Amino acid sequence: MMKEQIIACIDGSNCTMAVSQWAAWTADRLNAPLKLLHVLEKNASAIATDDWSGSIGIDSREELLAELVQLDQQRSKLAQEQGKHMLSLAKQLVMAHQPVATAIVPKILQRHGDLLDALTDLEQETRLIIMGKQGQL
């Protein structure tokens, strides 16, 4: 596959607007397809790393672990929804900053894992990657 698409990495930081605008400008100038990428990185969970077995009873520990798992699932779901919203807003911004004549409609992609892994997976079809110099911690 030819390297033709442009990837704009969106993370919700202060650079997201600038990245979106530059991606729109570049896609127009190169007449290339544009993909907006947001990666949900895996976080190390407190459930996996902390051992509270000596400080609480067995029944209490099981209940606490069940609550922690439920909270982690809710947090993941909210992060995914927030990412979809971010991508949607970035897509609207890109569409607003393109001349009507070109009207390149960006595709949106949300991935789970590591940013570097996601970019490596897309490398064969990618001509240019646009990202900000700062990100959310």
Side-chain angles (χ1 to χ4, degrees), residues 16-35:
T16 297
M17 181 179 275
V19 167
S20 300
Q21 290 171 340
W22 277 108
W25 182 86
T26 306
D28 177 55
R29 296 305 183 275
L30 298 177
N31 194 26
L34 174 61
K35 188 173 282 183

Side-chain angles (χ1 to χ4, degrees), residues 63-83:
E63 289 175 21
L64 179 60
L65 285 176
E67 277 187 58
L68 288 172
V69 167
Q70 184 179 17
L71 286 172
D72 194 42
Q73 289 172 343
Q74 289 174 340
R75 187 178 308 120
S76 294
K77 185 178 179 180
L78 288 173
Q80 187 173 7
E81 289 299 316
Q82 181 185 20

Side-chain angles (χ1 to χ4, degrees), residues 9-117:
C9 301
I10 306 297
D11 68 354
S13 68
N14 293 335
C15 292
T16 297
M17 181 179 275
V19 167
S20 300
Q21 290 171 340
W22 277 108
W25 182 86
T26 306
D28 177 55
R29 296 305 183 275
L30 298 177
N31 194 26
L34 174 61
K35 188 173 282 183
L36 301 171
L37 172 67
H38 178 254
V39 178
L40 293 167
E41 294 188 357
K42 296 176 184 174
N43 294 330
S45 175
I47 299 168
T49 59
D50 294 340
D51 181 10
W52 297 94
S53 59
S55 59
I56 55 177
I58 292 173
D59 291 338
S60 298
R61 181 174 184 254
E62 289 175 9
E63 289 175 21
L64 179 60
L65 285 176
E67 277 187 58
L68 288 172
V69 167
Q70 184 179 17
L71 286 172
D72 194 42
Q73 289 172 343
Q74 289 174 340
R75 187 178 308 120
S76 294
K77 185 178 179 180
L78 288 173
Q80 187 173 7
E81 289 299 316
Q82 181 185 20
K84 286 179 183 178
H85 183 68
M86 248 188 296
L87 285 167
S88 176
L89 291 174
K91 182 177 180 177
Q92 291 173 13
L93 187 62
V94 166
M95 298 293 291
H97 282 85
Q98 286 187 344
V100 178
T102 55
I104 294 173
V105 178
K107 293 182 179 177
I108 58 175
L109 176 62
Q110 187 173 54
R111 302 266 311 251
H112 292 270
D114 184 63
L115 175 62
L116 184 57
D117 291 339

